[in-house]
Amino acid sequence: ELKVEQNPLFLSMQEGKNYTIYCNYSTTSDRLYWYRQDPGKSLESLFVLLSNGAVKQEGRLMASLDTKARLSTLHITAAVHDLSATYFCAVEQAGAQKLVFGQGTRLTINP
Amino acid sequence: KAGVTQTPRYLIKTRGQQVTLSCSPISGHRSVSWYQQTPGQGLQFLFEYFSETQRNKGNFPGRFSGRQFSNSRSEMNVSTLELGDSALYLCASSLVGRVYEQYFGPGTRLTVT
């Protein structure tokens, strides 16, 4: 059974600092997704990583995928308050048109 | 083009009642998936429909059911509601086999009292 684990689950950081959220998963997959969710809202797609070594960047966020280590990272550079949200990684279960989500990382960025 | 729409957006029901939620996918998308989000269990896959057929189902009791119509619109039904069914229910649509282009709707917030 595919399991997805994120850490940390809660992260409070100061503006201007860098940090990384980790996403580990238990079975082979080469498709991983990152989403952002604001309180009371739906999921907003951030990154789609479709192969080993994939790296994508958007603004202060950068995501990477290592399928051999079954690990993805979401790196935040010089955080700003607007990035405060909950971030989810999700792994596509092969052949099932189904996403298995991590628990989410609640990120709070303080001025 | 219009995104995924879900109705109603908010719903309050009483234990023991049943509820039907609706999802209209993006035009041309024929695969519709449903997810439940709760504080305790997180985001969990409920089921996926394509061409009016349920192709995948998550680990939920039989009280949770769904269907898809010929125009790809989908409904999910929960019978005999329990307090633990209070959740945000998210629908997502995509072209078949293209989860990487899946779009989520705004969700239906169900509260069971």
Side-chain angles (χ1 to χ4, degrees):
Chain A
E1 180 189 352
L2 174 59
K3 292 189 187 300
V4 181
E5 292 192 353
Q6 286 180 238
N7 72 84
L9 300 184
F10 298 91
L11 179 54
S12 181
M13 51 193 293
Q14 286 188 311
E15 280 191 328
K17 300 290 187 184
N18 304 332
Y19 211 82
T20 300
I21 300 170
Y22 298 89
C23 175
N24 291 90
Y25 54 99
S26 62
T27 64
T28 301
S29 176
D30 56 5
R31 293 187 175 186
L32 189 138
Y33 309 85
W34 285 95
Y35 294 90
R36 168 182 172 146
Q37 187 177 42
D38 292 298
K41 304 288 188 181
S42 186
L43 298 173
E44 174 190 352
S45 177
L46 292 175
F47 299 109
V48 175
L49 304 170
L50 298 180
S51 61
N52 185 42
V55 177
K56 293 203 173 174
Q57 182 164 4
E58 180 73 34
R60 301 173 187 275
L61 301 178
M62 183 174 71
S64 65
L65 177 61
D66 181 343
T67 59
K68 292 178 181 166
R70 298 176 187 165
L71 170 69
S72 179
T73 60
L74 179 66
H75 187 72
I76 303 150
T77 301
V80 293
H81 179 69
D82 286 352
L83 292 178
S84 296
T86 299
Y87 293 84
F88 291 92
C89 65
V91 178
E92 184 178 338
Q93 184 162 318
Q97 191 97 3
K98 165 187 172 180
L99 296 178
V100 178
F101 283 85
Q103 309 97 307
T105 297
R106 185 179 296 179
L107 174 63
T108 303
I109 299 170
N110 304 302
Chain B
K1 60 184 166 183
V4 180
T5 58
Q6 293 186 244
T7 57
R9 294 291 312 281
Y10 302 91
L11 204 49
I12 300 175
K13 289 287 189 178
T14 304
R15 269 183 306 175
Q17 289 185 315
Q18 74 163 15
V19 68
T20 299
L21 312 181
S22 180
C23 171
S24 293
I26 290 171
S27 178
H29 285 189
R30 296 173 61 196
S31 172
V32 175
S33 300
W34 289 88
Y35 290 83
Q36 181 198 62
Q37 184 177 25
T38 61
Q41 299 300 316
L43 276 153
Q44 294 184 287
F45 172 80
L46 278 158
F47 25 65
E48 185 254 345
Y49 285 87
F50 169 71
S51 196
E52 302 178 63
T53 301
Q54 184 185 92
R55 298 196 302 172
N56 294 291
K57 183 172 167 58
N59 188 24
F60 280 82
R63 299 185 296 107
F64 291 81
S65 63
R67 60 177 175 168
Q68 186 181 36
F69 302 93
S70 59
N71 62 357
S72 296
R73 189 176 71 84
S74 177
E75 290 181 346
M76 67 163 282
N77 184 277
V78 187
S79 63
T80 318
L81 284 165
E82 300 177 359
L83 294 178
D85 298 332
S86 294
L88 179 67
Y89 290 89
L90 294 169
C91 161
S93 77
S94 71
L95 296 171
V96 63
R98 296 171 79 160
V99 177
Y100 52 89
E101 293 180 335
Q102 189 173 76
Y103 295 88
F104 281 85
T108 293
R109 172 76 62 183
L110 172 65
T111 302
V112 182
T113 62

